[in-house]
Amino acid sequence: MRRAITILGLAILLAGCGLAPMPHDSSPSGAMAHMARDLGWDNCLVEVWVTGVIVPDSAGHAAIRDDHGVVRSLTWGSSNTGAVDWNRSYRIGGRWFNTSDNLWACGGAGAVIPL
């Protein structure tokens, strides 16, 4: 009986570890250190959602490669406290910034959803 309780406890603990968020890379080589930012504007209402993986663009800036393989530049909202990491998948809400090739991630931390 004691062994069964121990195994059950360990199984619950390991399952809980899988649900814990991965730590964010805040190093100078991390994606957020390579993020273009706006000029201090407030968070916006989300008009568009883009799902994809955070990758460097041709200039080394953080971008998102969407589910169709299109790499779109990211402009991070200065008021957005969310964060992303290289090679991780996210659903990010915001608005197009000048063109549909540049997502303004201005929806706030609640609009940065790790997948």
Side-chain angles (χ1 to χ4, degrees):
M1 179 70 166
R2 186 176 189 179
R3 184 176 180 181
I5 291 172
T6 302
I7 290 172
L8 180 61
L10 286 173
I12 291 170
L13 179 66
L14 290 174
C17 289
L19 298 175
M22 290 177 50
H24 166 65
D25 179 6
S26 59
S27 73
S29 63
M32 295 307 295
H34 293 82
M35 189 67 71
R37 299 192 185 270
D38 66 23
L39 301 172
W41 297 323
D42 291 332
N43 286 339
C44 67
L45 295 176
V46 173
E47 293 178 358
V48 64
W49 290 92
V50 175
T51 301
V53 176
I54 303 302
V55 297
D57 64 13
S58 59
H61 298 113
I64 187 167
R65 184 179 62 233
D66 71 18
D67 294 337
H68 303 288
V70 177
V71 176
R72 301 176 189 278
S73 299
L74 283 171
T75 300
W76 207 256
S78 296
S79 297
N80 187 345
T81 59
V84 297
D85 291 304
W86 297 122
N87 301 314
R88 290 201 51 209
S89 296
Y90 296 88
R91 183 171 186 236
I92 301 176
R95 294 181 179 177
W96 297 126
F97 194 78
N98 300 329
T99 72
S100 61
D101 292 332
N102 189 356
L103 177 66
W104 178 27
C106 58
V112 180
I113 304 167
L115 302 175

